Amino acid sequence: MKRRDFIRNSMLASGAFMLPSFLKPFVSMAFANVSGFRNLVIIQLSGGNDGLNTIVPFGNDEYYKNRQIIGIPPSELLKMNSMQGLNPALVALRPIYDQGFMTILNGVGYPNPDRSHFRSMDIWQTASASDEYLSSGWIGRYLDSNCETCKHPFSAIEVDNNLSLALKGNAKKGLALTDIDKLYNTLQKPYFMELTNKANENLNETNLGYLYKTLIETSSSASYIHETSKVYKQTGTYPETAFANQLATISQFINSGLKTRVYYVSLSGFDTHTNQRNQQSRLLKIYGDAVAAFVNDLKSTGKLEDTMVMTFSEFGRRVSENNSKGTDHGTANNVMLFGGKLKKAGIYNDAPDLINLKDGDLKHQLDFRSVYATLLENWLEVKSSPILKAGFERLNFV
């Protein structure tokens, strides 16, 4: 069995082990030297969110010519300039935008786009070209780079039951977890205590030895997260949705001083082939209300200056609506950024060109890997080219 497959099929991918007592002194020494840090929170809108009905180009007549049924009237929009406005379901984000804590990148994509959900998501998560297949994610390779602040598995956490490809490196990977207290208490049971106590005796180069090594790493992270996150009691007010709960968990981790650099969450359901207006509006409200609560929470605790939030989807939708009051798979899309240190708040670049299309789809203005390069270089402060496997132009949003 290959080492990567062995780990992928094990419980260790979720960090579901605790720290044996004999390792605690060594872990304390390792964590004591971790210095200050910035946080990157990545939000994935799964299914292909319709960017043209999220950040609406109401100032372009072509939008309403192509969307006579699902087009959102100008009177309903939250206008940001003479060309674009927010979907009304995102009303909670309007004060965030007005305060300069939000940046919108238009037309983000890549050459020769793929309209398959699975393939396009792989491209975004691995930072590959459309004709390139990688088995490691861009955040995973960030962990592999062994930078000063990304040496431990807890350097990247996905608040979910499963770990996305984005957080899987060739040598290291992040952790996937939902309820750290429940996880920790479960792992106090005798079976796991006995298993972890055997770890130090089996650190060899076999698959089993590699499994035990991963057990120790993930166990130490689980113990650290449990102990550290107890120091802060959540005070922010969040909507009663599963997605908001994920962001509330991240807020607790950030405000407790957890030395995690990257957090990852997902919101699904954006494959709106039919009856799009209602379905997308419901999802955007869940997203907007939760992100606004998260940003306001971090602002109140002074942590927004050290946090950058990036929202993406695997592709946008076609410019023209279909015959089912929806939209089909498209290409370029907008990326939304939130934070307290944005260099260029508001609309970053020109609205999408709705006339100069390719096969009925938008042409991308910005390569998504330039967004990644900017976050890696200017925010996480690591060299991007070894991680992205090429050099990409950096943008000026941070």
Side-chain angles (χ1 to χ4, degrees):
M1 182 184 297
K2 292 183 179 179
R3 178 174 292 181
R4 184 179 302 139
D5 294 336
F6 185 59
I7 296 301
R8 181 183 295 117
N9 293 327
S10 73
M11 290 179 64
L12 292 175
S14 64
F17 291 91
M18 59 161 289
L19 176 67
S21 58
F22 66 83
L23 287 172
K24 288 182 178 178
F26 299 99
V27 174
S28 298
M29 291 171 59
F31 294 152
N33 295 322
V34 179
S35 59
F37 58 94
R38 291 173 171 177
N39 305 293
L40 172 63
V41 180
I42 301 172
I43 301 174
Q44 171 184 308
L45 303 182
S46 302
N49 178 47
D50 181 15
L52 292 177
N53 267 26
T54 302
I55 310 298
V56 182
F58 70 91
N60 190 331
D61 292 340
E62 293 297 318
Y63 168 76
Y64 293 103
K65 290 179 182 177
N66 283 279
R67 299 184 171 208
Q68 296 182 24
I69 296 175
I70 69 167
I72 304 175
S75 60
E76 297 181 19
L77 297 171
L78 306 167
K79 297 177 182 177
M80 296 176 289
N81 56 24
S82 60
M83 179 61 69
Q84 292 183 282
L86 283 172
N87 185 300
L90 296 174
V91 62
L93 294 181
R94 183 55 191 261
I96 306 297
Y97 179 87
D98 290 342
Q99 293 173 70
F101 299 139
M102 180 178 182
T103 296
I104 296 165
L105 308 180
N106 288 308
V108 182
Y110 54 90
N112 303 311
D114 195 297
R115 295 172 183 81
S116 160
H117 289 293
F118 302 105
R119 177 60 189 142
S120 190
M121 186 59 77
D122 274 357
I123 290 169
W124 274 83
Q125 292 198 2
T126 63
S128 69
S130 60
D131 60 350
E132 180 183 24
Y133 293 82
L134 301 178
S135 59
S136 61
W138 72 286
I139 297 301
R141 294 196 300 275
Y142 161 72
L143 298 178
D144 285 343
S145 72
N146 203 36
C147 67
E148 185 61 31
T149 54
C150 62
K151 293 180 178 179
H152 308 289
F154 63 79
S155 294
I157 293 176
E158 182 163 5
V159 183
D160 202 337
N161 291 317
N162 300 299
L163 193 68
S164 296
L165 176 58
L167 282 73
K168 296 178 181 178
N170 294 309
K172 297 179 183 178
K173 61 183 181 302
L175 296 173
L177 56 87
T178 52
D179 187 329
I180 187 61
D181 293 329
K182 183 177 180 180
L183 172 64
Y184 181 82
N185 291 333
T186 299
L187 297 176
Q188 299 295 322
K189 295 180 178 180
Y191 170 79
F192 291 105
M193 293 289 291
E194 182 180 354
L195 182 63
T196 52
N197 283 330
K198 293 180 180 178
N200 199 43
E201 303 171 5
N202 293 277
L203 295 178
N204 52 55
E205 289 302 314
T206 65
N207 278 339
L208 183 61
Y210 187 74
L211 179 63
Y212 275 123
K213 179 177 181 293
T214 305
L215 182 154
I216 292 174
E217 292 175 347
T218 55
S219 297
S220 61
S221 295
S223 179
Y224 167 71
I225 295 168
H226 171 73
E227 293 299 323
T228 305
S229 61
K230 290 194 302 185
V231 306
Y232 178 79
K233 181 176 176 58
Q234 182 60 257
T235 58
T237 301
Y238 285 80
E240 295 183 358
T241 63
F243 178 68
N245 287 337
Q246 290 178 298
L247 293 185
T249 297
I250 294 175
S251 171
Q252 181 175 358
F253 288 166
I254 291 174
N255 283 306
S256 65
L258 203 65
K259 304 300 181 182
T260 298
R261 298 304 303 272
V262 181
Y263 297 95
Y264 201 99
V265 293
S266 301
L267 179 62
S268 62
F270 287 91
D271 196 15
T272 51
H273 290 279
T274 61
N275 299 317
Q276 175 175 301
R277 283 290 300 270
N278 291 336
Q279 181 180 346
Q280 190 194 31
S281 292
R282 178 181 60 82
L283 291 169
L284 289 181
K285 180 172 174 53
I286 291 172
Y287 164 80
D289 289 357
V291 171
F294 181 69
V295 171
N296 288 326
D297 187 5
L298 295 184
K299 181 185 175 185
S300 69
T301 60
K303 295 293 186 179
L304 187 59
E305 293 291 302
D306 296 322
T307 303
M308 180 71 61
V309 182
M310 180 193 76
T311 301
F312 81 97
S313 195
E314 68 263 36
F315 46 62
R317 316 295 291 190
R318 307 213 77 180
V319 174
S320 295
E321 62 191 12
N322 60 28
N323 293 324
S324 301
K325 300 180 181 179
T327 51
D328 298 323
H329 299 179
T331 53
N333 207 349
N334 45 53
V335 165
M336 290 177 279
L337 299 156
F338 304 87
K341 288 187 176 178
L342 295 170
K343 280 187 178 179
K344 188 175 181 181
I347 306 293
Y348 183 85
N349 56 332
D350 291 341
D353 186 342
L354 304 185
I355 296 179
N356 184 21
L357 306 176
K358 183 176 182 180
D359 300 325
D361 285 322
L362 297 175
K363 296 180 180 179
H364 78 279
Q365 301 178 50
L366 304 173
D367 195 303
F368 77 102
R369 290 161 295 185
S370 286
V371 181
Y372 291 177
T374 305
L375 293 170
L376 289 166
E377 297 263 0
N378 296 1
W379 191 250
L380 297 178
E381 299 177 319
V382 294
K383 291 187 178 299
S384 63
S385 55
I387 296 170
L388 302 180
K389 301 184 178 299
F392 292 93
E393 176 188 4
R394 279 187 275 169
L395 308 178
N396 194 40
F397 58 81
V398 66

